[in-house]
Amino acid sequence: MFPLPGLIVTRFDLTIIGLGYVGMPLAKEATAAGLTVAGLDVDPRKVDALNAGRSYIDDLTDADLDGMIGSGFTATLDPSVLSESATIVICVPTPLDEDHRPDLSAVEGATATVAAHLRSGTLVVLESTTWPGTTDEVARPILEKSGLVAGADFHLAFSPERIDPGNTKYGLRNTPKVVGGFTPACRERAEAFYSQFIERVVPVSGTREAEMAKLLENTYRHVNIALVNEMAIFCDELGVDLWESIEAAATKPFGFQKFLPGPGVGGHCIPVDPSYLSYTVRKLGYPFRFVELAQEINERMPSYVVARVQRLLNRHRKPVNGSKVLLLGVTYKPDIADERETPAIPVAEALLDLGADLSFCDPHVREWSVEGTPVARKDDLATAIAEADVTVLLQQHSAFDLELIERQGVLVLDTRGVLATSERVERL
């Protein structure tokens, strides 16, 4: 099925480059399926923690990690493991630079490392989210500097990650896996690899289609979140309870999917991925107005939250300057410790600039700082709420007692629509 010359006997079935929120769930499922797995990273702290059985990933417990190590998983800083691997999957970050352009430096660095150790017959898969054409136009030329040719000497594919941290229903195994190959034979090899531990593999005709699928998924969410965020702003002025309207609309069994407003978007995907698509479209000479407008709306939501805090305090004859403001939940999603791109950061920055006496309460975050300034952490929810002039619910962690917040909050702004409104409690 895979007529490539020079197949080698390997020590590892799989080596994963990048041991974060994408790489470690992949390592867990592959190891559980009986594959011999190595993890390669440039951060010695991560490697040391993993080899000592200490997990830093929300969806991976120390017990999970102990089981993986017992099954042969090892983390390393040594790239020589790549030359001993049948399959190499690249799961490194793809952030935006200061000008909101794609930063592929980690992908280029990882790919160059692979090229230096690439052997004939290896399958190389890129999972890092990126613009359509990256696998073929960026990764392939770097890999072929090894003297090996994609599709002839080694297999090359792209398979977008679909990890949703904290999701207890859908994980790597039961989330369909999209796979596109540089050639049909590359696609077949990648299909066979992922089918060992993923229930359904969805093949597409090429790497560009697989790359675009990921961007389409998250751009769809980005645009619809922006829609309800903008509606939240004008519905407040119209005196309309948008939250109630959304629930009413969601009773329609077809043609509507519920999206909710919030203080901004967070995580790696929503704030970042649509910009990769917008970048691609701009290279063609077109503006991608939907994405750019959605970005503008979602990025202004933290400022709107702060404006609502100001208005709430003003109604009770209090300025923001000197007021005790408590932020509840500073992660980007409920019930996880992931702070990537959390909208809590710009909210806190603006409140500090206005002179607020800021504190936070989050059961998943031990220490938190904004612009290098440590923010005081409150351990006792009841005491913190009682002492605050205004409490802002940014993330609805299940550990928070919502009735307690409603009952004891002096003034409360609920940005998640989970509290009952009253004279003291307002929804975004």
Side-chain angles (χ1 to χ4, degrees), residues 112-416:
T113 301
V114 174
H117 299 272
L118 189 60
R119 302 291 296 274
S120 181
T122 305
L123 167 64
V124 181
V125 184
L126 177 62
E127 285 204 6
S128 304
T129 303
T130 185
W131 47 267
T134 300
T135 305
D136 183 27
E137 298 171 14
V138 177
R140 182 174 63 85
I142 295 174
L143 292 170
E144 290 184 343
K145 289 181 180 179
S146 65
L148 302 177
V149 178
D153 301 312
F154 69 94
H155 290 109
L156 178 62
F158 181 84
S159 181
E161 59 88 4
R162 281 175 162 174
I163 299 297
D164 185 18
N167 192 324
T168 57
K169 182 177 181 179
Y170 291 107
L172 183 71
R173 177 174 290 276
N174 66 346
T175 300
K177 196 82 166 92
V178 174
V179 172
F182 176 63
T183 66
C186 293
R187 181 185 65 227
E188 291 175 15
R189 172 72 182 275
E191 277 187 82
F193 164 71
Y194 283 113
S195 294
Q196 296 175 90
F197 52 90
I198 293 178
E199 293 174 4
R200 182 187 174 201
V201 177
V202 182
V204 294
S205 59
T207 56
R208 284 175 169 79
E209 286 73 21
E211 290 161 337
M212 180 61 80
K214 172 66 174 180
L215 299 185
L216 177 59
E217 293 169 14
N218 286 328
T219 299
Y220 170 81
R221 294 167 61 201
H222 186 56
V223 169
N224 280 282
I225 291 170
L227 171 65
V228 292
N229 275 339
E230 187 163 45
M231 292 182 75
I233 294 173
F234 66 71
C235 278
D236 173 60
E237 296 190 22
L238 290 172
V240 175
D241 187 337
L242 176 62
W243 301 91
E244 185 176 350
S245 297
I246 290 173
E247 293 303 324
T251 62
K252 185 178 181 181
F254 56 89
F256 182 83
Q257 182 177 356
K258 182 170 74 172
F259 288 85
L260 298 173
V265 292
H268 173 267
C269 293
I270 302 296
V272 176
D273 294 358
S275 293
Y276 274 68
L277 186 52
S278 180
Y279 168 80
T280 303
V281 174
R282 285 198 302 271
K283 289 198 301 180
L284 300 175
Y286 303 105
F288 197 176
R289 287 175 289 178
F290 262 110
V291 166
E292 291 162 4
L293 180 58
Q295 194 86 13
E296 177 186 331
I297 292 169
N298 287 333
E299 286 182 350
R300 82 180 186 190
M301 287 308 292
S303 296
Y304 177 66
V305 169
V306 173
R308 289 289 299 273
V309 171
Q310 286 181 292
R311 190 179 77 183
L312 189 57
L313 286 169
N314 284 342
R315 284 177 179 170
H316 293 78
R317 301 180 182 277
K318 294 181 179 181
V320 176
N321 191 1
S323 290
K324 294 180 179 179
V325 181
L326 173 68
L327 302 182
L328 296 184
V330 296
T331 60
Y332 91 90
K333 282 188 66 178
D335 299 329
I336 65 172
D338 196 342
E339 301 172 42
R340 290 177 297 172
E341 305 294 333
T342 173
I345 291 289
V347 169
E349 289 175 347
L351 288 170
L352 288 173
D353 287 344
L354 290 172
D357 181 0
L358 197 64
S359 62
F360 82 99
C361 181
D362 193 310
H364 303 279
V365 179
R366 301 302 305 174
E367 297 180 352
W368 193 54
S369 62
V370 177
E371 293 183 320
T373 301
V375 178
R377 184 180 192 273
K378 302 295 184 178
D379 293 313
D380 185 80
L381 180 63
T383 302
I385 292 171
E387 292 177 348
D389 294 305
V390 60
T391 297
V392 185
L393 180 64
L394 294 177
Q395 200 54 263
Q396 69 277 32
H397 294 311
S398 59
F400 289 150
D401 185 337
L402 300 184
E403 291 184 0
L404 174 69
I405 298 170
E406 293 167 355
R407 185 174 63 252
Q408 295 193 12
V410 178
L411 295 173
V412 181
L413 177 63
D414 171 17
T415 72
R416 295 298 179 177

Side-chain angles (χ1 to χ4, degrees), residues 39-80:
L40 176 63
D41 205 284
V42 296
D43 187 343
R45 294 171 300 178
K46 288 184 177 180
V47 170
D48 290 344
L50 292 174
N51 287 330
R54 299 192 307 273
S55 175
Y56 45 81
I57 302 298
D58 286 298
D59 295 336
L60 186 73
T61 66
D62 288 353
D64 291 331
L65 190 52
D66 285 341
M68 292 168 60
I69 294 171
S71 298
F73 172 77
T74 184
T76 183
L77 300 168
D78 184 1
S80 66

